[in-house]
Every structure is written in structure tokens, then in C-alpha cells.
Amino acid sequence: MKDRIVVLGAGYAGLGAAKRAARRLRGTGARMTLVNASDRFVERVRLHQLAAGQRLPDLPLATLLEGTGVELVVARVTGIDPEARTVRLDTPPYTLHYDVLVYALGSGAEPAAVPGAREHAYSLTTADEAVRLGRRVARAQRVTVVGGGLTGIEAATEFAFTRPGLRVELLSAGLVGEGLSVRARRHIHRAFARMGIDVREHTQVAKIDPDGALLESGDELRADTVVWAAGFRVPELAAQAGLATDRHGRMLVDRALRSVSHPDVFAAGDAAAADRSGRPTRMACQTGLPMGMYAGEAVADLLTGREPRRALFRYVWQNISLGRHDAVTQFTRPDDTSLETVMTGRPSAAFKEAILRGTVWAMRHSGPYRPIM
Ligand SMILES: Cc1cc2nc3c(=O)[nH]c(=O)nc-3n(C[C@H](O)[C@H](O)[C@H](O)COP(=O)(O)OP(=O)(O)OC[C@H]3O[C@@H](n4cnc5c(N)ncnc54)[C@H](O)[C@@H]3O)c2cc1C
């Protein structure tokens, strides 16, 4: 076999896919190349900790790939030509040919739709952005976080936990933690009150300037740092290449995570929209890691003459950190809707920490275990 497999993106999904497929295809002659913008594995789920000034473990991809036979190319992907089956890169070797492609480029910050946000707000969805924000937060007296989703909640509480004297404000267009159970949201509000975080729900930001945020209501909020944490956006490369995507640019894949328009392309993680009975998969590490492993298995199935297996989508929980000593574990139905069962406080924080460490363990050991979603 002389198959060339190219995996784009070495996040939870891409690294998981590359290692799983390489393990299954060892000895077959298949060649596996993993392309990533940096030579480090970024634990995105801890970027709020980095922005709050905490140190994160250094995880070189070369170490995580040791003994796998996967070739790492550190470069930025600038285009895909599905007809020629090539990928364009911004540095040598500039072009890679593939027989099977795995698209796992993840996501970045959703650009703010309000004037001034691009120039004056900070985000924390990539390591570089988190470091830049961290430098700013270290000197700040007052930080405003925009976005009442999980990233905004984790960021606001991490800043307040790490810098107790810092004034932190959280703005949400709707409810904070929408979709979580009443018990989970009640616990989050108690944590905000304990940490002195000011919360404004149902609040729209109209403009951001160097001095803070102007609200639709006309109120002006003075802040020396505004953090934009209102959603993720995926790269446009799949849509630009003519691969079938949803309206957000996430690649549409079938139950085997195979592109619905190009059967030699698979996708996993934030950049893929696998259908779960009409609802796309949640953008989460919790989704991306098992999806990556399934994609790796499906690629190996395809190249060894088997029918690519179907990924099973079942959720169990969501973990939201509230600083280092508190958290909420929201238990969910398999379809990701919230139950009223929650775990809170130190047990939940310890559980979340164990899950995050387990995730890095899974990135080191691609083992044959079956992923849970
Ligand atoms: C602060 C924060 C906290 C979070 N907390 C949680 C949590 O508690 N639980 C949870 O489940 N999820 C959480 N998430 C979401 C989670 O991090 C993402 O859903 C997850 O990282 C997606 O995995 P992925 O592999 O699809 O993409 P990523 O982890 O984003 O990896 C994509 C990779 O592709 C690379 N890449 C992108 N574009 C290019 C290009 N053009 N060329 C080359 N390489 C490229 C990137 O450098 C990166 O290495 C959090 C996110 C943030 C920002």
C-alpha cells in the first residue's frame, strides 16, 4: 500500500486522528503527514488559565508523535484543491499530495460584530491571543468579559480567582450559561457573587473603544481590558475549496465523518458538523477528541478495504471551571441536553482537572480504547 494520508490540524481532533490511523496502518506502507501551524500541542481548554497568568505544560508535538511514524510538517495551510488532491502550505514543501485527507483545523474567535471590537477587544481562543491578553490582564485594574457562554464564564472566574483585587465584569446577551440546568446556573451565580464578579444578563454591547464598552442601553462601562468571548468561528478553507459545509463553514460529514461531497475527505472536531438527528455536534474538546479517534479508525477502515465505521455520538457531561477550586459538572442526556443533576465545588474542580489530564494522556497514548462522547 502506498496511500498518502494528510491530516490538517494537530489539536484534539487532528492529533487523535493521526495517531489512531497510524497505529492501525502500521506496517501497511501508508504514509501519514500531520500539518500544524505550530510545533506545540495547545491545550485550548486551558487558555483562560494562560490568560490569567498561569503556566501551562509545554507539549512539543514531536514528543507526542514519537514512535508513531507520523511526519510532522509545521506550516500554515493556505488552500485545498480537492480535484487535484493537494494542499497548499505557506512554507516548504508548499504542496502536499494526498489520497485521503482529514480536515481538523478547529476554530478561532468569532469576530465581534460591533464597531471597535477588532481594534480594542482581546480574545483567548489561540495560544498567541491568550498570551497577549495575559500581558494586558497582568496590568489591568478592571476587565470586562463579553460572552455568557462557557468560555466567558471560565475566563471571568479565572481572572477573579488569580487576581482577587481585579474588578471583573461579565456581560451576556442572554442568560449566563444558557442551556445549563437551573441548579448549575444558580451555582455559577453564587460563585460570581463570592468572587465579586459583576454580571449583566440580557445586555447588548454597541461599541468598544480604548476606554471600555458602550452598551445598547446607553450605559458606558469603563474597563482597561475588554475580552471578546462570544463564540467560535471555523476557518473558511473547506468552503473556499468547494467542500460541502454548513452556513458557518463547518464541513458536512456523514456518520463515518466522511465529507458528504468528497468521499476521500474526512473531518473532525470544531471544523466538522456531524449531524446528530438534525443538531450539529457541539464545538468542544469533549466532541473533538473522540471524533478525531473515530476519523482515524474510519480512515484505516477505508484503506484496509472495510466499510468505514460510524461514529457514535453520546454526551454525558459538561465541565465548567470557576477558578481552580470550584467548578460545575453538568450531567447531560446523550443528546447533550441538560439534566437537573450537577456536581459542584471542589469535587467537580478535581473531576475537571482529572479529565483534562486524562485528555493529554489520551493525546500521548493513541491506544485501541473506544472513545466516549
Ligand atoms: C478558553 C477555552 C476553554 C475551553 N474549555 C473547554 C472545556 O472545558 N471543555 C470542552 O469540551 N471544550 C472546551 N473548549 C473548546 C475546545 O477547546 C475546542 O472545542 C477544541 O479545542 C476543538 O478541538 P479541535 O481539535 O477541533 O481544534 P483545535 O484544538 O482548535 O486545534 C486545531 C489545530 O489546527 C491548527 N490550525 C488551525 N488553522 C490552521 C492552518 N490554517 N494551518 C495549519 N494549522 C492550523 C491550530 O494551530 C490547532 O493546532 C474551550 C475553548 C477555549 C478557548
Side-chain angles (χ1 to χ4, degrees), residues 7-16 35-49 51 61 73-79 88-90 103-109 123-127 129-130 150-152 154-155 229 232 234-235 237 268-272 282-289 291-292 315 317-321 352 355-356 359 363:
V7 178
L8 305 183
Y12 300 96
L15 185 58
V35 184
N36 198 56
S38 109
D39 63 352
R40 291 322 205 233
F41 174 73
V42 173
E43 269 190 277
R44 261 186 86 190
V45 295
R46 289 194 193 268
L47 287 183
H48 53 296
Q49 293 178 239
L61 283 167
V73 172
V74 179
R76 246 191 156 354
V77 181
T78 55
R88 279 192 308 282
L89 309 177
D90 67 344
Y103 183 82
L105 291 177
S107 63
S123 111
L124 76 169
T125 49
T126 67
E129 288 164 353
L150 307 192
T151 307
E154 291 198 323
F232 297 154
V234 301
L237 290 171
D270 286 1
R282 172 158 51 96
M283 288 194 191
C285 156
Q286 203 189 349
T287 318
L289 174 59
M291 259 180 127
Y315 290 94
W317 57 61
Q318 288 192 57
N319 281 307
I320 305 123
S321 66
K352 170 142 192 173
I355 296 279
L356 298 193
T359 302
M363 301 281 60

Side-chain angles (χ1 to χ4, degrees), residues 9 24 26 46 67-68 78 91 110 131 147 151 176 193 196-197 202 260 289 301 321 337 347 353 355 362:
R24 283 266 317 272
R26 191 171 295 156
R46 289 194 193 268
T68 61
T78 55
T91 54
E110 176 76 72
V131 167
T151 307
V176 167
I197 298 171
H202 306 293
V260 297
L289 174 59
D301 286 341
S321 66
T337 52
E353 183 57 32
I355 296 279

Side-chain angles (χ1 to χ4, degrees), residues 6-8 35 75-91 94-98 101-103 105 235-243 251 265:
V6 174
V7 178
L8 305 183
V35 184
R76 246 191 156 354
V77 181
T78 55
I80 301 167
D81 183 341
E83 311 318 320
R85 290 182 168 177
T86 56
V87 173
R88 279 192 308 282
L89 309 177
D90 67 344
T91 54
Y94 294 113
T95 302
L96 287 174
H97 294 264
Y98 65 82
L101 184 71
V102 180
Y103 183 82
L105 291 177
E236 290 168 354
L237 290 171
Q240 285 166 352
L243 291 145
M251 195 187 295
V265 180

Side-chain angles (χ1 to χ4, degrees), residues 65-285:
L65 290 170
E66 242 164 46
T68 61
V70 176
E71 181 200 7
L72 174 67
V73 172
V74 179
R76 246 191 156 354
V77 181
T78 55
I80 301 167
D81 183 341
E83 311 318 320
R85 290 182 168 177
T86 56
V87 173
R88 279 192 308 282
L89 309 177
D90 67 344
T91 54
Y94 294 113
T95 302
L96 287 174
H97 294 264
Y98 65 82
D99 296 302
V100 177
L101 184 71
V102 180
Y103 183 82
L105 291 177
S107 63
E110 176 76 72
V114 302
R118 203 177 282 276
E119 298 82 358
H120 306 296
Y122 290 74
S123 111
L124 76 169
T125 49
T126 67
D128 288 346
E129 288 164 353
V131 167
R132 196 170 144 255
L133 171 59
R135 282 197 209 107
R136 181 81 189 180
V137 171
R139 291 182 276 116
Q141 305 297 318
R142 193 166 167 169
V143 174
T144 296
V145 178
V146 184
L150 307 192
T151 307
I153 296 169
E154 291 198 323
T157 49
E158 204 69 47
F159 296 146
F161 171 83
T162 315
R163 296 247 341 257
L166 182 68
R167 183 136 181 229
V168 181
E169 198 142 42
L170 180 64
L171 311 181
S172 179
L175 288 174
V176 167
E178 218 149 46
L180 299 178
S181 65
V182 173
R183 290 182 65 193
R185 282 193 284 114
R186 206 180 291 145
H187 184 80
I188 290 168
H189 279 282
R190 273 199 296 263
F192 289 154
R194 191 182 66 242
M195 293 174 155
I197 298 171
D198 294 322
V199 185
R200 293 191 190 213
E201 298 184 313
H202 306 293
T203 297
Q204 296 283 350
V205 175
K207 188 180 165 196
I208 294 172
D209 64 27
D211 300 320
L214 174 69
L215 307 184
E216 291 280 2
S217 63
D219 286 1
E220 283 183 43
L221 292 182
R222 297 298 88 195
D224 39 23
T225 308
V226 177
V227 183
W228 195 264
F232 297 154
R233 181 149 112 175
V234 301
E236 290 168 354
L237 290 171
Q240 285 166 352
L243 291 145
T245 61
D246 68 7
R247 66 194 170 87
H248 305 291
R250 299 174 81 190
M251 195 187 295
L252 291 171
V253 290
D254 64 15
R255 295 308 296 262
L257 306 181
R258 211 168 175 181
S259 157
V260 297
S261 60
H262 294 73
D264 47 359
V265 180
F266 291 75
D270 286 1
D275 187 66
R276 289 179 306 117
S277 317
R279 282 162 35 115
T281 36
R282 172 158 51 96
M283 288 194 191
C285 156

